[in-house]
PDB file of all heavy atoms in Angstrom:
ATOM      1  N   LYS A   2      48.670  18.732  86.179  1.00 97.00           N
ATOM      2  CA  LYS A   2      47.246  19.021  86.337  1.00 97.00           C
ATOM      3  C   LYS A   2      46.911  20.309  85.580  1.00 97.00           C
ATOM      4  O   LYS A   2      47.740  21.202  85.469  1.00 97.00           O
ATOM      5  CB  LYS A   2      46.905  19.186  87.825  1.00 97.00           C
ATOM      6  CG  LYS A   2      47.165  17.918  88.654  1.00 97.00           C
ATOM      7  CD  LYS A   2      46.901  18.158  90.116  1.00 97.00           C
ATOM      8  CE  LYS A   2      48.146  18.780  90.734  1.00 97.00           C
ATOM      9  NZ  LYS A   2      48.106  18.878  92.193  1.00 97.00           N
ATOM     10  N   LEU A   4      44.958  23.795  85.131  1.00 98.00           N
ATOM     11  CA  LEU A   4      44.297  24.923  85.772  1.00 98.00           C
ATOM     12  C   LEU A   4      43.542  25.682  84.692  1.00 98.00           C
ATOM     13  O   LEU A   4      44.151  26.201  83.759  1.00 98.00           O
ATOM     14  CB  LEU A   4      45.327  25.855  86.430  1.00 98.00           C
ATOM     15  CG  LEU A   4      44.805  27.201  86.941  1.00 98.00           C
ATOM     16  CD1 LEU A   4      43.820  27.007  88.093  1.00 98.00           C
ATOM     17  CD2 LEU A   4      45.962  28.094  87.365  1.00 98.00           C
ATOM     18  N   LEU A   6      41.901  28.840  83.659  1.00 98.00           N
ATOM     19  CA  LEU A   6      42.197  30.184  84.148  1.00 98.00           C
ATOM     20  C   LEU A   6      41.422  31.237  83.365  1.00 98.00           C
ATOM     21  O   LEU A   6      41.631  31.404  82.159  1.00 98.00           O
ATOM     22  CB  LEU A   6      43.705  30.422  84.005  1.00 98.00           C
ATOM     23  CG  LEU A   6      44.336  31.649  84.587  1.00 98.00           C
ATOM     24  CD1 LEU A   6      44.181  31.682  86.103  1.00 98.00           C
ATOM     25  CD2 LEU A   6      45.818  31.697  84.224  1.00 98.00           C
ATOM     26  N   PRO A  78      47.999  42.152  90.157  1.00 98.00           N
ATOM     27  CA  PRO A  78      49.230  41.992  90.947  1.00 98.00           C
ATOM     28  C   PRO A  78      49.498  40.531  91.338  1.00 98.00           C
ATOM     29  O   PRO A  78      48.615  39.832  91.823  1.00 98.00           O
ATOM     30  CB  PRO A  78      48.975  42.855  92.182  1.00 98.00           C
ATOM     31  CG  PRO A  78      48.016  43.906  91.711  1.00 98.00           C
ATOM     32  CD  PRO A  78      47.129  43.195  90.709  1.00 98.00           C
ATOM     33  N   GLY A  79      50.728  40.121  91.083  1.00 98.00           N
ATOM     34  CA  GLY A  79      51.188  38.796  91.470  1.00 98.00           C
ATOM     35  C   GLY A  79      50.864  37.676  90.492  1.00 98.00           C
ATOM     36  O   GLY A  79      51.427  36.584  90.587  1.00 98.00           O
ATOM     37  N   MET A  80      49.972  37.927  89.534  1.00 98.00           N
ATOM     38  CA  MET A  80      49.560  36.832  88.645  1.00 98.00           C
ATOM     39  C   MET A  80      50.597  36.493  87.583  1.00 98.00           C
ATOM     40  O   MET A  80      50.716  35.326  87.201  1.00 98.00           O
ATOM     41  CB  MET A  80      48.206  37.138  88.021  1.00 98.00           C
ATOM     42  CG  MET A  80      47.058  36.976  88.994  1.00 98.00           C
ATOM     43  SD  MET A  80      46.943  35.303  89.702  1.00 98.00           S
ATOM     44  CE  MET A  80      46.427  34.359  88.262  1.00 98.00           C
ATOM     45  N   GLU A  82      53.808  36.422  88.008  1.00 98.00           N
ATOM     46  CA  GLU A  82      54.758  35.554  88.706  1.00 98.00           C
ATOM     47  C   GLU A  82      54.153  34.181  88.988  1.00 98.00           C
ATOM     48  O   GLU A  82      54.819  33.153  88.798  1.00 98.00           O
ATOM     49  CB  GLU A  82      55.214  36.217  90.015  1.00 98.00           C
ATOM     50  CG  GLU A  82      55.941  37.535  89.832  1.00 98.00           C
ATOM     51  CD  GLU A  82      55.038  38.751  89.574  1.00 98.00           C
ATOM     52  OE1 GLU A  82      53.792  38.643  89.689  1.00 98.00           O
ATOM     53  OE2 GLU A  82      55.581  39.818  89.242  1.00 98.00           O
ATOM     54  N   LEU A  83      52.887  34.169  89.426  1.00 98.00           N
ATOM     55  CA  LEU A  83      52.254  32.891  89.761  1.00 98.00           C
ATOM     56  C   LEU A  83      52.080  32.021  88.518  1.00 98.00           C
ATOM     57  O   LEU A  83      52.434  30.841  88.530  1.00 98.00           O
ATOM     58  CB  LEU A  83      50.904  33.125  90.446  1.00 98.00           C
ATOM     59  CG  LEU A  83      50.151  31.853  90.856  1.00 98.00           C
ATOM     60  CD1 LEU A  83      50.968  31.017  91.830  1.00 98.00           C
ATOM     61  CD2 LEU A  83      48.797  32.207  91.450  1.00 98.00           C
ATOM     62  N   VAL A  84      51.553  32.579  87.452  1.00 98.00           N
ATOM     63  CA  VAL A  84      51.328  31.786  86.241  1.00 98.00           C
ATOM     64  C   VAL A  84      52.653  31.288  85.671  1.00 98.00           C
ATOM     65  O   VAL A  84      52.743  30.154  85.182  1.00 98.00           O
ATOM     66  CB  VAL A  84      50.504  32.591  85.212  1.00 98.00           C
ATOM     67  CG1 VAL A  84      50.454  31.882  83.866  1.00 98.00           C
ATOM     68  CG2 VAL A  84      49.085  32.820  85.735  1.00 98.00           C
ATOM     69  N   SER A  86      55.126  30.349  87.333  1.00 97.00           N
ATOM     70  CA  SER A  86      55.710  29.334  88.225  1.00 97.00           C
ATOM     71  C   SER A  86      54.737  28.200  88.550  1.00 97.00           C
ATOM     72  O   SER A  86      54.929  27.499  89.538  1.00 97.00           O
ATOM     73  CB  SER A  86      56.187  29.999  89.521  1.00 97.00           C
ATOM     74  OG  SER A  86      55.077  30.484  90.270  1.00 97.00           O
ATOM     75  N   LEU A  87      53.718  28.004  87.739  1.00 97.00           N
ATOM     76  CA  LEU A  87      52.718  26.970  88.023  1.00 97.00           C
ATOM     77  C   LEU A  87      53.295  25.567  88.092  1.00 97.00           C
ATOM     78  O   LEU A  87      52.774  24.711  88.807  1.00 97.00           O
ATOM     79  CB  LEU A  87      51.597  27.006  86.976  1.00 97.00           C
ATOM     80  CG  LEU A  87      50.604  28.139  87.115  1.00 97.00           C
ATOM     81  CD1 LEU A  87      49.622  28.122  85.938  1.00 97.00           C
ATOM     82  CD2 LEU A  87      49.849  28.062  88.437  1.00 97.00           C
ATOM     83  N   LYS A  89      55.777  24.486  89.603  1.00 95.00           N
ATOM     84  CA  LYS A  89      56.206  24.093  90.954  1.00 95.00           C
ATOM     85  C   LYS A  89      55.030  23.581  91.785  1.00 95.00           C
ATOM     86  O   LYS A  89      55.225  22.908  92.793  1.00 95.00           O
ATOM     87  CB  LYS A  89      56.939  25.234  91.666  1.00 95.00           C
ATOM     88  CG  LYS A  89      56.089  26.303  92.269  1.00 95.00           C
ATOM     89  CD  LYS A  89      56.966  27.327  92.998  1.00 95.00           C
ATOM     90  CE  LYS A  89      56.133  28.322  93.750  1.00 95.00           C
ATOM     91  NZ  LYS A  89      56.938  29.334  94.415  1.00 95.00           N
ATOM     92  N   TYR A  90      53.803  23.865  91.348  1.00 96.00           N
ATOM     93  CA  TYR A  90      52.602  23.346  92.006  1.00 96.00           C
ATOM     94  C   TYR A  90      52.067  22.103  91.286  1.00 96.00           C
ATOM     95  O   TYR A  90      51.045  21.545  91.681  1.00 96.00           O
ATOM     96  CB  TYR A  90      51.497  24.411  92.031  1.00 96.00           C
ATOM     97  CG  TYR A  90      51.859  25.655  92.795  1.00 96.00           C
ATOM     98  CD1 TYR A  90      52.342  26.788  92.134  1.00 96.00           C
ATOM     99  CD2 TYR A  90      51.723  25.718  94.181  1.00 96.00           C
ATOM    100  CE1 TYR A  90      52.675  27.936  92.822  1.00 96.00           C
ATOM    101  CE2 TYR A  90      52.058  26.867  94.884  1.00 96.00           C
ATOM    102  CZ  TYR A  90      52.534  27.968  94.191  1.00 96.00           C
ATOM    103  OH  TYR A  90      52.865  29.115  94.895  1.00 96.00           O
ATOM    104  N   GLY A  91      52.737  21.716  90.200  1.00 96.00           N
ATOM    105  CA  GLY A  91      52.278  20.573  89.413  1.00 96.00           C
ATOM    106  C   GLY A  91      51.136  20.912  88.469  1.00 96.00           C
ATOM    107  O   GLY A  91      50.397  20.032  88.037  1.00 96.00           O
ATOM    108  N   PHE A  92      50.990  22.190  88.111  1.00 97.00           N
ATOM    109  CA  PHE A  92      49.915  22.643  87.237  1.00 97.00           C
ATOM    110  C   PHE A  92      50.464  23.253  85.962  1.00 97.00           C
ATOM    111  O   PHE A  92      51.571  23.797  85.942  1.00 97.00           O
ATOM    112  CB  PHE A  92      49.066  23.730  87.932  1.00 97.00           C
ATOM    113  CG  PHE A  92      48.018  23.207  88.855  1.00 97.00           C
ATOM    114  CD1 PHE A  92      48.312  22.952  90.180  1.00 97.00           C
ATOM    115  CD2 PHE A  92      46.727  22.972  88.401  1.00 97.00           C
ATOM    116  CE1 PHE A  92      47.336  22.473  91.045  1.00 97.00           C
ATOM    117  CE2 PHE A  92      45.749  22.494  89.250  1.00 97.00           C
ATOM    118  CZ  PHE A  92      46.049  22.245  90.582  1.00 97.00           C
ATOM    119  N   LEU A 149      41.482  22.306  88.598  1.00 98.00           N
ATOM    120  CA  LEU A 149      41.010  23.508  89.290  1.00 98.00           C
ATOM    121  C   LEU A 149      40.630  24.551  88.248  1.00 98.00           C
ATOM    122  O   LEU A 149      41.316  24.707  87.239  1.00 98.00           O
ATOM    123  CB  LEU A 149      42.098  24.068  90.215  1.00 98.00           C
ATOM    124  CG  LEU A 149      41.730  25.303  91.043  1.00 98.00           C
ATOM    125  CD1 LEU A 149      40.587  24.997  92.025  1.00 98.00           C
ATOM    126  CD2 LEU A 149      42.939  25.834  91.794  1.00 98.00           C
ATOM    127  N   VAL A 151      39.515  28.705  88.133  1.00 98.00           N
ATOM    128  CA  VAL A 151      39.464  29.939  88.910  1.00 98.00           C
ATOM    129  C   VAL A 151      38.872  31.050  88.049  1.00 98.00           C
ATOM    130  O   VAL A 151      39.228  31.212  86.892  1.00 98.00           O
ATOM    131  CB  VAL A 151      40.855  30.321  89.468  1.00 98.00           C
ATOM    132  CG1 VAL A 151      41.853  30.559  88.367  1.00 98.00           C
ATOM    133  CG2 VAL A 151      40.781  31.532  90.370  1.00 98.00           C
ATOM    134  N   ILE A 169      37.135  27.665  92.314  1.00 98.00           N
ATOM    135  CA  ILE A 169      37.198  28.664  93.383  1.00 98.00           C
ATOM    136  C   ILE A 169      37.104  30.066  92.788  1.00 98.00           C
ATOM    137  O   ILE A 169      37.514  30.299  91.655  1.00 98.00           O
ATOM    138  CB  ILE A 169      38.495  28.554  94.220  1.00 98.00           C
ATOM    139  CG1 ILE A 169      39.748  28.752  93.354  1.00 98.00           C
ATOM    140  CG2 ILE A 169      38.540  27.235  94.984  1.00 98.00           C
ATOM    141  CD1 ILE A 169      41.029  28.943  94.135  1.00 98.00           C
ATOM    142  N   GLN A 170      36.573  30.966  93.597  1.00 98.00           N
ATOM    143  CA  GLN A 170      36.473  32.363  93.180  1.00 98.00           C
ATOM    144  C   GLN A 170      37.793  33.061  93.472  1.00 98.00           C
ATOM    145  O   GLN A 170      38.330  32.982  94.576  1.00 98.00           O
ATOM    146  CB  GLN A 170      35.324  33.060  93.899  1.00 98.00           C
ATOM    147  CG  GLN A 170      35.036  34.432  93.351  1.00 98.00           C
ATOM    148  CD  GLN A 170      33.753  35.031  93.892  1.00 98.00           C
ATOM    149  OE1 GLN A 170      33.067  34.436  94.705  1.00 98.00           O
ATOM    150  NE2 GLN A 170      33.435  36.226  93.422  1.00 98.00           N
ATOM    151  N   PHE A 171      38.305  33.758  92.470  1.00 98.00           N
ATOM    152  CA  PHE A 171      39.581  34.460  92.599  1.00 98.00           C
ATOM    153  C   PHE A 171      39.438  35.670  93.507  1.00 98.00           C
ATOM    154  O   PHE A 171      38.482  36.433  93.403  1.00 98.00           O
ATOM    155  CB  PHE A 171      40.077  34.917  91.224  1.00 98.00           C
ATOM    156  CG  PHE A 171      41.387  35.636  91.282  1.00 98.00           C
ATOM    157  CD1 PHE A 171      42.567  34.933  91.371  1.00 98.00           C
ATOM    158  CD2 PHE A 171      41.442  37.021  91.266  1.00 98.00           C
ATOM    159  CE1 PHE A 171      43.792  35.593  91.427  1.00 98.00           C
ATOM    160  CE2 PHE A 171      42.653  37.692  91.322  1.00 98.00           C
ATOM    161  CZ  PHE A 171      43.836  36.973  91.404  1.00 98.00           C
ATOM    162  N   THR A 172      40.424  35.834  94.394  1.00 98.00           N
ATOM    163  CA  THR A 172      40.518  37.048  95.209  1.00 98.00           C
ATOM    164  C   THR A 172      41.884  37.714  95.018  1.00 98.00           C
ATOM    165  O   THR A 172      41.960  38.878  94.657  1.00 98.00           O
ATOM    166  CB  THR A 172      40.278  36.746  96.702  1.00 98.00           C
ATOM    167  OG1 THR A 172      41.179  35.709  97.128  1.00 98.00           O
ATOM    168  CG2 THR A 172      38.832  36.330  96.956  1.00 98.00           C
ATOM    169  N   THR A 173      42.948  36.937  95.234  1.00 98.00           N
ATOM    170  CA  THR A 173      44.314  37.447  95.064  1.00 98.00           C
ATOM    171  C   THR A 173      45.220  36.315  94.557  1.00 98.00           C
ATOM    172  O   THR A 173      44.885  35.134  94.681  1.00 98.00           O
ATOM    173  CB  THR A 173      44.920  37.944  96.397  1.00 98.00           C
ATOM    174  OG1 THR A 173      45.055  36.826  97.287  1.00 98.00           O
ATOM    175  CG2 THR A 173      44.063  39.031  97.033  1.00 98.00           C
ATOM    176  N   ALA A 174      46.357  36.707  94.026  1.00 98.00           N
ATOM    177  CA  ALA A 174      47.337  35.714  93.583  1.00 98.00           C
ATOM    178  C   ALA A 174      47.815  34.871  94.764  1.00 98.00           C
ATOM    179  O   ALA A 174      48.008  33.663  94.628  1.00 98.00           O
ATOM    180  CB  ALA A 174      48.514  36.402  92.903  1.00 98.00           C
ATOM    181  N   ALA A 175      47.990  35.498  95.920  1.00 98.00           N
ATOM    182  CA  ALA A 175      48.455  34.755  97.095  1.00 98.00           C
ATOM    183  C   ALA A 175      47.436  33.698  97.521  1.00 98.00           C
ATOM    184  O   ALA A 175      47.807  32.565  97.846  1.00 98.00           O
ATOM    185  CB  ALA A 175      48.727  35.724  98.250  1.00 98.00           C
ATOM    186  N   ALA A 176      46.165  34.043  97.497  1.00 97.00           N
ATOM    187  CA  ALA A 176      45.115  33.075  97.855  1.00 97.00           C
ATOM    188  C   ALA A 176      45.072  31.940  96.823  1.00 97.00           C
ATOM    189  O   ALA A 176      44.879  30.770  97.194  1.00 97.00           O
ATOM    190  CB  ALA A 176      43.760  33.759  97.962  1.00 97.00           C
ATOM    191  N   LEU A 177      45.251  32.260  95.562  1.00 98.00           N
ATOM    192  CA  LEU A 177      45.264  31.226  94.532  1.00 98.00           C
ATOM    193  C   LEU A 177      46.477  30.307  94.730  1.00 98.00           C
ATOM    194  O   LEU A 177      46.351  29.097  94.594  1.00 98.00           O
ATOM    195  CB  LEU A 177      45.283  31.849  93.138  1.00 98.00           C
ATOM    196  CG  LEU A 177      45.367  30.860  91.967  1.00 98.00           C
ATOM    197  CD1 LEU A 177      44.265  29.808  92.028  1.00 98.00           C
ATOM    198  CD2 LEU A 177      45.332  31.631  90.644  1.00 98.00           C
ATOM    199  N   ALA A 178      47.620  30.857  95.067  1.00 97.00           N
ATOM    200  CA  ALA A 178      48.812  30.029  95.317  1.00 97.00           C
ATOM    201  C   ALA A 178      48.546  29.049  96.444  1.00 97.00           C
ATOM    202  O   ALA A 178      48.946  27.869  96.352  1.00 97.00           O
ATOM    203  CB  ALA A 178      50.007  30.931  95.641  1.00 97.00           C
ATOM    204  N   GLN A 179      47.868  29.488  97.491  1.00 96.00           N
ATOM    205  CA  GLN A 179      47.517  28.575  98.603  1.00 96.00           C
ATOM    206  C   GLN A 179      46.596  27.467  98.115  1.00 96.00           C
ATOM    207  O   GLN A 179      46.760  26.305  98.495  1.00 96.00           O
ATOM    208  CB  GLN A 179      46.870  29.342  99.748  1.00 96.00           C
ATOM    209  CG  GLN A 179      47.826  30.229 100.505  1.00 96.00           C
ATOM    210  CD  GLN A 179      47.139  31.016 101.613  1.00 96.00           C
ATOM    211  OE1 GLN A 179      45.936  31.240 101.598  1.00 96.00           O
ATOM    212  NE2 GLN A 179      47.929  31.451 102.573  1.00 96.00           N
ATOM    213  N   ALA A 180      45.619  27.809  97.296  1.00 96.00           N
ATOM    214  CA  ALA A 180      44.691  26.805  96.773  1.00 96.00           C
ATOM    215  C   ALA A 180      45.428  25.800  95.883  1.00 96.00           C
ATOM    216  O   ALA A 180      45.153  24.587  95.946  1.00 96.00           O
ATOM    217  CB  ALA A 180      43.570  27.475  96.000  1.00 96.00           C
ATOM    218  N   LEU A 181      46.354  26.287  95.065  1.00 97.00           N
ATOM    219  CA  LEU A 181      47.130  25.388  94.212  1.00 97.00           C
ATOM    220  C   LEU A 181      47.976  24.444  95.044  1.00 97.00           C
ATOM    221  O   LEU A 181      48.077  23.250  94.725  1.00 97.00           O
ATOM    222  CB  LEU A 181      48.029  26.194  93.268  1.00 97.00           C
ATOM    223  CG  LEU A 181      47.299  27.011  92.190  1.00 97.00           C
ATOM    224  CD1 LEU A 181      48.274  27.971  91.522  1.00 97.00           C
ATOM    225  CD2 LEU A 181      46.650  26.089  91.169  1.00 97.00           C
ATOM    226  N   ALA A 182      48.569  24.951  96.086  1.00 94.00           N
ATOM    227  CA  ALA A 182      49.404  24.112  96.962  1.00 94.00           C
ATOM    228  C   ALA A 182      48.579  23.041  97.656  1.00 94.00           C
ATOM    229  O   ALA A 182      49.082  21.945  97.939  1.00 94.00           O
ATOM    230  CB  ALA A 182      50.115  24.986  97.991  1.00 94.00           C
ATOM    231  N   ALA A 183      47.301  23.319  97.883  1.00 92.00           N
ATOM    232  CA  ALA A 183      46.421  22.371  98.570  1.00 92.00           C
ATOM    233  C   ALA A 183      45.843  21.311  97.634  1.00 92.00           C
ATOM    234  O   ALA A 183      45.294  20.319  98.087  1.00 92.00           O
ATOM    235  CB  ALA A 183      45.287  23.123  99.265  1.00 92.00           C
ATOM    236  N   CYS A 184      45.937  21.527  96.320  1.00 89.00           N
ATOM    237  CA  CYS A 184      45.363  20.566  95.348  1.00 89.00           C
ATOM    238  C   CYS A 184      46.261  19.360  95.156  1.00 89.00           C
ATOM    239  O   CYS A 184      47.415  19.435  95.028  1.00 89.00           O
ATOM    240  CB  CYS A 184      45.140  21.244  93.999  1.00 89.00           C
ATOM    241  SG  CYS A 184      43.643  22.240  93.944  1.00 89.00           S
TER     242      CYS A 184
END
Side-chain angles (χ1 to χ4, degrees):
K2 298 176 276 189
L4 170 65
L6 188 62
M80 286 302 291
E82 298 79 9
L83 180 60
V84 171
S86 67
L87 285 175
K89 80 177 187 182
Y90 298 97
F92 277 88
L149 182 63
V151 61
I169 60 168
Q170 189 170 1
F171 180 80
T172 54
T173 65
L177 177 54
Q179 289 178 338
L181 292 168
C184 280

